[in-house]
Amino acid sequence: MTVRQWISGASLAVLAAGSAPALAQTASADRRVNVTPYLGVDQVVMAPLKGDGDVLTYTNVTAGVTAQVQTRRVEAAVDLQYNHSFSWSNQIGDQDVLSGIANATVNVARGLSIHTGGLASRVRTDGLSGASTLNDSYTSQVYAGYIGPAYTTQIGDITVNASYRLGYARVEDDLDSNLSNAPVSGSFADSWTHNLMGSVGFGPGTLLPVGLTASAGYDREDASQLDQRFEDKWGRVDATLPVSRTVALIGGLGYEQIEISQRSPLLDSTGVPVIRNGRYVTDKGSPRALVYEFDDIIWDAGVLWRPSRRTSLQAQVGQRYGGMTYQGSFTWQGANSSFAVILFDGIDSFGRLITANAAALSGSSFDVARNPFTGDITGCAFSTTGGGQCFNDALAGITDANFRYRGVSAQYSLRRGQWGWGVGAGYSQRKFVTPQGQTVLVRGSKDENWYGNASMTYMLGNRDNIDTVVYVNYFDASDARPDVLNYGGFTSYYKGLTRRLSASASVGVDGVKADDLDTVISAMGQVGLRYSF
């Protein structure tokens, strides 16, 4: 089991904010189709409370769509928005932002379904990794999408599963025009990923007292930066042995082969690597160099505790990547709330991670939290019934390198009556795989990221609500980039004027502290109108 499969299977959403407007929450029905296009305009002002800076004023014009579809064959949710910011200052240019998330499941035939979806967001490229994107900051546009079939069937007591996913991730920017000294460590361009997996097995107490499952998989990523290639081939057998009504011993044994390789950068006449738009130019004629290799037996053992359908605890320790690995999860699903803690460990990359995060979304009902001053998604889509996902950890430090990815995350969400609450926190460490010499070990520098957020939503009626969000993120960079602390919060009031026209007003504060730079704290205000068709 890869770290992406672990997170996708066990992760619940970090409830970052109430949305405005949120995807409609309606009673479950056999058929539900709700598609709402909208146009909006709002006025934003930002003023420095601490640090250098000017008072900034700009106008946002937005066009978007929210959709919620649940039929016998199709389950889908979409929240997509295009935002153009007209600057009122000669020092700052206009900005275009496309942001949103989407997922869909189409049941083609009995046991056969097609899964597709994606996300669009933006990140800062001014060296302040993990900080909020404001109108005066240099940014890059991020896209990720996936599509693929999944098949499951039951042959007597035997369960058969198979799936394939094609993914694509892209970071669109022009680092030469943004930062003349931008570090190439953040120079991811785009990549294609392939994930193929199959399994066959039976549960405990059917054919044998112990349940057995044999599985195999193949993962591959082809990244344009230096023609980098990742390949992971694995196969394993897992066993589940109940020792009581609620406790089972679990374990697995298998074999895995991982190879990461890339070509050399093109050199100029003086022997210096050629950099174009902030990225290395690949020497297509150079031989492919092995960056990382793992070829060995893998195993893990642990315990599974499942006292009810709502509660599950799983903890495992094992041998992988040439050392010990630790993974675990605790999930609890209430009638209108959810809680999860996840411990993960694996080899990953930005392209594979952001694509897997997009694929982890599921269901036809989730809320998308947006920053009222910029229109950006705040990093999370959430659902109290599970199936949500947070992207802020993946987006905090974009890099073209592969890395050992370890960390822990905890999330809690609740929606009861007029109130909605959420708290989320996490920590991750990325230790980079670097192509020094012919040594094939996980090595190199590392990044660390701590994040936390909390939100409260209160519904004042059918069309009015108040949202409050607070957030903090600390990114400890490994290269020439500074360590960055970002914190802030905002409160928004949304008022339905008519059935189709609504108004909004928001106030907030955002602070950024980077190494050797003065703290910058900005106050923000917003008023706007939105018309839904």
Side-chain angles (χ1 to χ4, degrees):
M1 178 180 292
T2 68
V3 64
R4 297 177 300 285
Q5 293 158 358
W6 185 283
I7 295 175
S8 299
S11 173
L12 298 178
V14 176
L15 179 56
S19 64
L23 294 182
Q25 302 292 319
T26 62
S28 61
D30 291 338
R31 179 177 177 84
R32 178 174 56 195
V33 178
N34 181 12
V35 180
T36 307
Y38 62 85
L39 295 174
V41 60
D42 59 83
Q43 191 69 29
V44 177
V45 59
M46 295 184 180
L49 296 178
K50 183 178 181 180
D52 296 333
D54 300 321
V55 176
L56 304 177
T57 304
Y58 56 93
T59 302
N60 290 328
V61 177
T62 61
V65 61
T66 61
Q68 186 181 37
V69 178
Q70 186 173 8
T71 67
R72 186 171 64 89
R73 288 189 174 273
V74 179
E75 188 175 43
V78 177
D79 190 312
L80 183 64
Q81 178 177 285
Y82 166 76
N83 179 7
H84 182 83
S85 295
F86 294 93
S87 174
W88 288 28
S89 172
N90 294 329
Q91 301 176 354
I92 303 170
D94 295 352
Q95 291 189 5
D96 294 280
V97 179
L98 180 64
S99 62
I101 56 176
N103 78 283
T105 299
V106 181
N107 296 312
V108 180
R110 184 179 179 86
L112 177 63
S113 57
I114 302 294
H115 303 267
T116 186
L119 70 92
S121 185
R122 63 174 179 169
V123 295
R124 294 179 73 144
T125 54
D126 57 358
L128 300 183
S129 301
S132 301
T133 55
L134 303 179
N135 189 260
D136 61 338
S137 59
Y138 293 115
T139 60
S140 295
Q141 189 73 43
V142 177
Y143 304 98
Y146 69 94
I147 187 171
Y151 179 73
T152 182
T153 188
Q154 195 77 22
I155 305 174
D157 293 323
I158 305 297
T159 301
V160 179
N161 294 293
S163 65
Y164 169 74
R165 186 177 73 222
L166 173 66
Y168 179 71
R170 180 179 182 86
V171 176
E172 212 169 71
D173 55 21
D174 186 351
L175 291 179
D176 276 352
S177 65
N178 289 347
L179 293 169
S180 59
N181 61 343
V184 294
S185 60
S187 53
F188 179 90
D190 65 344
S191 73
W192 290 92
T193 56
H194 306 267
N195 305 97
L196 178 65
M197 186 174 68
S199 67
V200 57
F202 54 88
T206 53
L207 299 180
L208 295 172
V210 60
L212 294 175
T213 299
S215 57
Y218 174 72
D219 298 325
R220 173 164 173 160
E221 180 182 25
D222 291 282
S224 59
Q225 175 71 287
L226 297 181
D227 196 15
Q228 191 175 91
R229 179 183 299 164
F230 168 90
E231 285 188 293
D232 183 7
K233 308 169 188 175
W234 58 272
R236 58 181 292 153
V237 175
D238 290 274
T240 303
L241 177 63
V243 295
S244 74
R245 187 180 62 86
T246 60
V247 177
L249 301 179
I250 55 177
L253 177 67
Y255 182 81
E256 184 173 28
Q257 182 184 59
I258 300 176
E259 286 189 1
I260 305 175
S261 62
Q262 67 183 40
R263 302 189 188 278
S264 301
L266 185 67
L267 304 180
D268 62 17
S269 58
T270 63
V272 176
V274 177
I275 296 177
R276 186 176 300 145
N277 293 335
R279 299 181 174 93
Y280 287 123
V281 176
T282 306
D283 183 357
K284 296 294 186 180
S286 63
R288 182 170 292 278
L290 189 63
V291 177
Y292 172 80
E293 182 180 49
F294 173 78
D295 189 354
D296 207 345
I297 292 175
I298 57 175
W299 64 268
D300 54 65
V303 62
L304 172 64
W305 178 57
R306 189 169 291 164
S308 69
R309 291 183 302 171
R310 297 178 179 271
T311 305
S312 177
L313 171 66
Q314 186 168 330
Q316 290 171 282
V317 60
Q319 185 86 16
R320 197 177 180 187
Y321 315 125
M324 299 300 294
T325 61
Y326 306 90
Q327 296 187 103
S329 69
F330 174 79
T331 60
W332 175 80
Q333 180 65 61
N336 52 13
S337 59
S338 62
F339 175 72
V341 178
I342 301 167
L343 180 69
F344 54 88
D345 186 353
I347 300 289
D348 228 314
S349 72
F350 171 74
R352 301 196 301 279
L353 181 60
I354 195 66
T355 303
N357 281 356
L361 288 170
S362 63
S364 62
S365 177
F366 53 78
D367 295 335
V368 179
R370 292 187 179 274
N371 186 311
F373 312 104
T374 65
D376 295 323
I377 56 175
T378 59
C380 293
F382 69 90
S383 171
T384 55
T385 59
Q389 184 65 35
C390 273
F391 314 105
N392 37 3
D393 195 42
L395 296 172
I398 296 177
T399 174
D400 63 307
N402 283 262
F403 46 84
R404 179 77 175 269
Y405 185 51
R406 289 178 281 197
V408 61
S409 64
Q411 310 94 27
Y412 173 73
S413 61
L414 168 68
R415 185 172 293 276
R416 179 175 297 167
Q418 297 173 290
W419 293 92
W421 300 87
V423 178
Y427 163 79
S428 67
Q429 179 192 95
R430 304 182 305 169
K431 190 172 183 179
F432 296 106
V433 178
T434 54
Q436 299 174 357
Q438 295 301 314
T439 305
V440 286
L441 299 172
V442 175
R443 61 186 174 277
S445 56
K446 64 182 179 181
D447 286 343
E448 293 180 293
N449 190 54
W450 292 260
Y451 66 90
N453 45 54
S455 71
M456 180 276 293
T457 300
Y458 181 72
M459 303 298 297
L460 298 171
N462 293 332
R463 295 196 300 263
D464 303 345
N465 65 284
I466 296 175
D467 295 347
T468 298
V469 176
V470 294
Y471 55 87
V472 61
N473 194 93
Y474 179 71
F475 185 79
D476 186 352
S478 60
D479 52 23
R481 294 170 296 171
D483 298 343
V484 180
L485 173 64
N486 179 220
Y487 54 89
F490 55 82
T491 296
S492 302
Y493 174 61
Y494 301 94
K495 172 70 176 178
L497 303 178
T498 67
R499 187 170 66 90
R500 297 186 180 274
L501 184 65
S502 62
S504 64
S506 305
V507 293
V509 63
D510 182 84
V512 178
K513 176 65 176 75
D515 287 346
D516 302 324
L517 298 175
D518 293 335
T519 300
V520 177
I521 301 177
S522 302
M524 301 170 288
Q526 174 266 351
V527 292
L529 292 172
R530 174 174 293 186
Y531 185 82
S532 301
F533 296 92

